[in-house]
């Protein structure tokens, strides 16, 4: 089926060792080199990214791959389209 995956990121108010990271949804790149702090413009500010995906086999797999440091996600929402 078709789904919309929405990820919300909030950069913490102190250095947590975050670095840019990639996000893959069922093997397909959703975000490449995503830097939460840079995208948010500062700490404690939410950034939301969405992508529509086609799911086969009834599973949505999310993979957060740090390029350096750590990856972070604050909320995950999946809705059927």
């Amino acid at each position: 089926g078709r789904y919309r995956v929405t990820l919300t990121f909030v950069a913490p108010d102190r250095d947590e060792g975050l670095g840019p990271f990639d996000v893959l949804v069922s093997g397909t790149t959703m975000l490449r080199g995503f830097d939460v702090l840079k995208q948010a413009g500062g700490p404690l500010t939410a950034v939301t990214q969405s992508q529509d995906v086609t799911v086969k086999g009834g599973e949505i797999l999310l993979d957060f791959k740090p390029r350096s440091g750590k990856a972070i996600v604050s909320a995950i929402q999946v809705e059927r389209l």
Side-chain angles (χ1 to χ4, degrees):
R2 296 276 302 155
Y3 293 85
R4 177 167 294 133
V5 176
T6 302
L7 305 176
T8 301
F9 307 91
V10 178
D13 63 347
R14 62 187 185 281
D15 183 10
E16 296 286 338
L18 299 178
F21 55 92
D22 298 338
V23 178
L24 288 80
V25 179
S26 297
T28 301
T29 301
M30 177 177 173
L31 299 171
R32 189 180 312 274
F34 189 75
D35 184 324
V36 176
L37 193 56
K38 185 176 181 179
Q39 293 295 317
L44 302 178
T45 302
V47 176
T48 302
Q49 298 284 322
S50 296
Q51 181 169 320
D52 295 348
V53 298
T54 300
V55 175
K56 296 177 184 175
E59 274 186 345
I60 297 174
L61 302 173
L62 299 175
D63 193 9
F64 299 85
K65 295 189 169 196
R67 291 185 173 197
S68 65
K70 301 175 190 173
I72 186 173
V73 64
S74 301
I76 299 169
Q77 179 180 354
V78 178
E79 57 186 310
R80 182 180 280 258
L81 299 176

